[in-house]
Amino acid sequence: MLFLLLLAAGTAKTQGADDGKVVVMRTFDWEIEGERAERVTVHWLLQEDGSMRYDFDRQPTATQDAHRRSCALQGMKPSRG
């Protein structure tokens, strides 16, 4: 469900990654329960089939922090693989 929200929200911008892959960046206000909404940018890797892949390790520090806090509220940790 989190990924559906991330896909649906914000504006998209495309740029190249250091490894030559296409990165789609979306900036939006991430609402975390009990906290004020925080503006984050999510980096998605565009796959050959047109789908996009979220890789936690490629995210900016602020996005990783928001993701960790959101998961912690549910007793979880972000997936790393």
Side-chain angles (χ1 to χ4, degrees):
M1 184 165 121
L2 168 67
F3 294 120
L4 293 176
L5 292 173
L6 294 175
L7 279 173
T11 25
K13 177 179 166 186
T14 307
Q15 78 176 44
D18 291 336
D19 55 7
K21 295 185 179 189
V22 174
V23 176
V24 177
M25 299 185 313
R26 293 181 183 263
T27 301
F28 67 99
D29 293 330
W30 191 332
E31 294 184 28
I32 299 173
E33 186 178 328
E35 296 183 23
R36 186 173 51 147
E38 180 176 340
R39 178 136 309 174
V40 297
T41 299
V42 175
H43 295 188
W44 294 91
L45 291 175
L46 185 62
Q47 305 297 292
E48 288 184 20
D49 66 358
S51 65
M52 292 189 291
R53 185 181 65 158
Y54 177 92
D55 184 350
F56 179 83
D57 294 324
R58 284 186 178 261
Q59 303 309 311
T61 303
T63 303
Q64 288 181 0
D65 292 344
H67 190 160
R68 279 189 198 97
R69 288 195 316 278
S70 179
C71 285
L73 287 170
Q74 301 172 40
M76 302 182 335
K77 293 182 179 180
S79 174
R80 302 297 286 264

